[in-house]
Amino acid sequence: MMENIKAVNNTYNSYLNIQVNEYFLDELQKRYGKLLLTKNELAEVLNQSPRTISNKMSTGTMNIKFIKTGDSMQSGILFPIIAVAEYLTNQMHENSAYAA
């Protein structure tokens, strides 16, 4: 019986994660109208400074996949909105786990 409850709960949580992820993806597409965000746009989404984003990237604490556009020090960094949506979904899930 307990295994059945856990299985239903896991299925429900997976469904919720998909729904939340799709919500974030839709909102990012509406807001920015493109598939890749700049570091400044990501900072705006996360309510952090671009420097904080850079610091997190350099220390490996930024868990958002990114695309580097070039090999030089002046290369740009772009963040696929799907990766940003997944990050936001995971952050929401982690934060709600602490509230429970």
Side-chain angles (χ1 to χ4, degrees):
M1 174 89 167
M2 193 62 148
E3 288 179 14
N4 290 341
I5 293 171
K6 286 181 182 179
V8 168
N9 195 25
N10 287 341
T11 301
Y12 179 71
N13 286 339
S14 295
Y15 174 77
L16 280 181
N17 281 343
I18 291 168
Q19 296 301 311
V20 170
N21 195 41
E22 287 178 5
Y23 169 79
F24 284 133
L25 187 58
D26 288 344
E27 289 301 310
L28 290 168
Q29 285 177 328
K30 286 178 195 172
R31 184 173 185 177
Y32 294 100
K34 54 187 180 177
L35 298 177
L36 300 169
L37 301 181
T38 65
K39 192 185 304 181
N40 287 342
E41 290 166 336
L42 178 64
E44 183 179 283
V45 169
L46 300 180
N47 198 27
Q48 298 177 354
S49 72
R51 185 69 197 144
T52 298
I53 301 297
S54 294
N55 288 342
K56 287 183 175 185
M57 289 176 67
S58 67
T59 60
T61 57
M62 177 57 65
N63 297 327
I64 302 176
K65 295 175 185 159
F66 60 89
I67 300 167
K68 188 172 179 182
T69 59
D71 293 330
S72 70
M73 293 292 280
Q74 298 299 320
S75 298
I77 302 289
L78 296 172
F79 299 87
I81 62 169
I82 187 93
V84 176
E86 289 172 358
Y87 176 81
L88 292 170
T89 300
N90 291 336
Q91 288 298 111
M92 190 177 102
H93 181 67
E94 287 174 15
N95 290 339
S96 67
Y98 290 114

